[in-house]
Amino acid sequence: MAHINENFLKLQKNYLFADIAKKVSAFKESHPQANVISLGIGDVTQPLAPAVIEAMHKAVDDMSTKETFHGYGPEEGYLWLREAIAKNDYLARGIQIEPTEVFVNDGAKSDTGNISELIRWDNSMAVTDPIYPVYIDSNVMIGRADVYEDGHWSNVTYMPCDEANQFVPQIPDHRVDMIYLCYPNNPTGMVISKEELAKWVDYAIKNDSIILYDAAYEAYIQDPNIPHSIYEIEGAKNVAIEFHSYSKTAGFTGVRCGYTVIPKELTAKTADGHRVEVAPFWDRRQCTKFNGTSYISQRAAEAIYTTEGKKQIKQTIAYYMENARIMREGLIELGLTVYGGENAPYLWVKTPNNAPSWKFFEDMLYGAQVVCTPGVGFGQAGEGFIRLTSFGNREDCLEAMTRIKKWLKA
């Protein structure tokens, strides 16, 4: 008899955004005339940059003739894109990353979810709280999280990020094997200084740990003193894997492309104490389970690094950050406490009168026809907060602020 992987039975209810979708769908069914505005799900709304569209059209044309047709590509990604990434995202910031240390994927979500396969299932892990649900759920699926009790997993060290510590996670007082960090942070929209990030690198070096660093939103950083990559910190190549995404940087949520960097300096131990490079294991995993990102998507990503592409992407990011400014200032004017939204496309808003997150979500949906994301869906430390995104259309953003103002003042 085939037995199911019972770790899946441990997963808590539905995926957060599936729960939100169900509640919104139920509202729309009972209120068919309502015009619901979503500021909850982090999907983009602006069209792809002209340089990207041009590159995609050309790539499609390449597929139409025998001479330029592309079938299976390298599982790690085409060298021309990996070279563009190494040059523009790293060398331009004074960081030496070899193209062969870059692994192109179909979006950061895939790799942040799959990367846990590289680490023994019984190794310990640490996460910030609140946290992007994929980090936890993917480890639950392989049995690493162990037992769920009182809102926490027994083999997970939680590092609360709240108003009390100004959203700066406290480094554990014991060793852990793997650490998830995301900056700019999803969901709080907060960032980390080089000084604080250096403390994590030092901890990982001292404890022989691996940092899994999600930099999916680094393009939104406005403060020149905030690091865009963990590799800006000395020694980080020895202890960190970094994830990047074009989904929010260039509107690729429907195109699917991103990349992961695993430096050759990064090593881990085998059970008998031998040190081995981590990158070849990931390469082997990808070659076995992944046939590579589409040629068309990779050509689209390559276009981001052209002169015109860079200019156009900056304009799109500026559009979303202006939305964030409008929302942030409008909510603060209403007397709400707002975090984030200055170096990230997310705003972390404290609910009035400490209202539970899900209750405030439903009150806003029914009272203003505006969708947010309940903070508690990202972890217990998120209770009493909601997350808003700035990825909507400007008209919707302005209308949502008008509705929220009217609703809260009613």
Side-chain angles (χ1 to χ4, degrees):
M1 178 183 294
H3 290 83
I4 196 71
N5 176 359
E6 294 186 18
N7 290 309
F8 279 74
L9 299 177
K10 298 178 181 179
L11 293 168
Q12 302 303 296
K13 297 182 180 180
N14 291 324
Y15 183 54
L16 169 62
F17 298 107
D19 281 342
I20 292 173
K22 287 181 179 179
K23 291 179 180 292
V24 173
S25 178
F27 173 80
K28 288 181 177 179
E29 286 184 13
S30 60
H31 300 78
Q33 304 303 317
N35 175 25
V36 177
I37 297 175
S38 179
L39 300 179
I41 305 290
D43 198 1
V44 295
T45 56
Q46 297 308 292
L48 296 172
V52 170
I53 293 295
E54 182 180 352
M56 293 183 76
H57 280 306
K58 184 179 183 304
V60 171
D61 289 339
D62 288 346
M63 304 297 277
S64 68
T65 65
K66 182 177 181 179
E67 292 75 20
T68 55
F69 174 79
H70 288 75
Y72 290 129
E75 288 85 353
E76 305 85 355
Y78 287 100
L79 186 58
W80 36 263
L81 177 55
R82 301 165 83 189
E83 289 175 339
I85 291 168
K87 177 182 177 181
N88 291 277
D89 288 347
Y90 290 99
L91 189 59
R93 295 193 176 103
I95 304 169
Q96 186 68 45
I97 293 293
E98 298 298 327
T100 53
E101 297 172 314
V102 177
F103 297 84
V104 179
N105 58 37
D106 60 351
K109 185 175 184 178
S110 295
D111 280 9
T112 54
N114 292 328
I115 200 72
S116 60
E117 294 179 25
L118 287 187
I119 314 298
R120 271 178 56 115
W121 68 272
D122 56 351
N123 276 196
S124 60
M125 59 182 285
V127 298
T128 57
D129 181 8
I131 187 175
Y132 183 45
V134 171
Y135 306 154
I136 290 282
D137 288 354
S138 59
N139 281 281
V140 172
M141 291 174 180
I142 64 173
R144 177 174 290 117
D146 205 11
V147 180
Y148 190 74
E149 296 176 333
D150 300 323
H152 290 94
W153 294 94
S154 59
N155 196 39
V156 177
T157 295
Y158 291 85
M159 303 173 292
C161 295
D162 51 32
E163 291 178 300
N165 58 19
Q166 298 182 314
F167 298 93
V168 177
Q170 182 176 350
I171 292 177
D173 58 4
H174 57 280
R175 77 166 305 278
V176 292
D177 299 302
M178 50 193 291
I179 305 156
Y180 285 87
L181 295 177
C182 174
Y183 288 102
N185 185 257
N186 177 17
T188 67
M190 302 298 281
V191 291
I192 191 169
S193 68
K194 288 185 178 180
E195 292 74 20
E196 286 298 325
L197 192 52
K199 293 177 183 178
W200 284 103
V201 172
D202 290 343
Y203 170 88
I205 292 173
K206 179 180 178 181
N207 291 278
D208 203 9
S209 309
I210 293 180
I211 298 174
L212 305 174
Y213 193 79
D214 189 346
Y217 306 97
E218 61 82 17
Y220 288 84
I221 294 173
Q222 309 294 305
D223 186 338
N225 296 315
I226 298 299
H228 287 253
S229 167
I230 194 170
Y231 302 129
E232 293 180 39
I233 308 302
E234 185 177 357
K237 288 184 183 181
N238 296 295
V239 295
I241 296 173
E242 186 164 276
F243 308 92
H244 283 256
S245 171
Y246 298 118
S247 289
K248 311 303 167 51
T249 302
F252 275 35
T253 53
V255 176
R256 310 310 303 150
C257 192
Y259 64 88
T260 296
V261 175
I262 306 182
K264 59 181 178 294
E265 291 93 337
L266 179 63
T267 62
K269 284 185 178 180
T270 61
D272 59 5
H274 287 86
R275 299 208 72 90
V276 294
E277 288 186 28
V278 173
F281 284 79
W282 184 246
D283 191 14
R284 183 66 173 85
R285 187 267 175 203
Q286 293 297 79
C287 289
T288 300
K289 294 188 175 184
F290 183 57
N291 263 340
T293 306
S294 85
Y295 170 74
I296 297 170
S297 294
Q298 291 192 63
R299 282 298 186 192
E302 181 190 33
I304 294 169
Y305 298 110
T306 65
T307 300
E308 282 303 307
K310 290 178 181 178
K311 179 180 178 182
Q312 293 161 6
I313 295 303
K314 285 183 179 179
Q315 291 172 345
T316 300
I317 290 174
Y319 179 94
Y320 291 134
M321 289 309 294
E322 176 62 11
N323 280 354
R325 183 195 66 78
I326 291 170
M327 295 164 62
R328 180 181 171 84
E329 292 181 0
L331 294 169
I332 290 175
E333 185 179 334
L334 288 170
L336 298 178
T337 301
V338 183
Y339 299 94
E342 295 178 304
N343 291 287
Y346 294 120
L347 292 85
W348 193 238
V349 185
K350 191 173 184 179
T351 59
N353 303 314
N354 294 316
S357 297
W358 274 111
K359 183 180 186 304
F360 190 81
F361 162 86
E362 293 186 350
D363 288 347
M364 180 181 282
L365 175 59
Y366 281 80
Q369 291 80 60
V370 175
V371 178
C372 64
T373 304
V376 72
F378 298 99
Q380 288 192 338
E383 181 60 278
F385 288 86
I386 61 167
R387 188 194 74 173
L388 298 176
T389 81
S390 63
F391 291 122
N393 291 309
R394 181 66 45 76
E395 297 78 10
D396 287 343
C397 177
L398 292 168
E399 173 63 19
M401 290 302 101
T402 298
R403 292 185 191 180
I404 292 172
K405 182 177 181 180
K406 181 179 180 180
W407 167 59
L408 288 177
K409 289 188 173 183

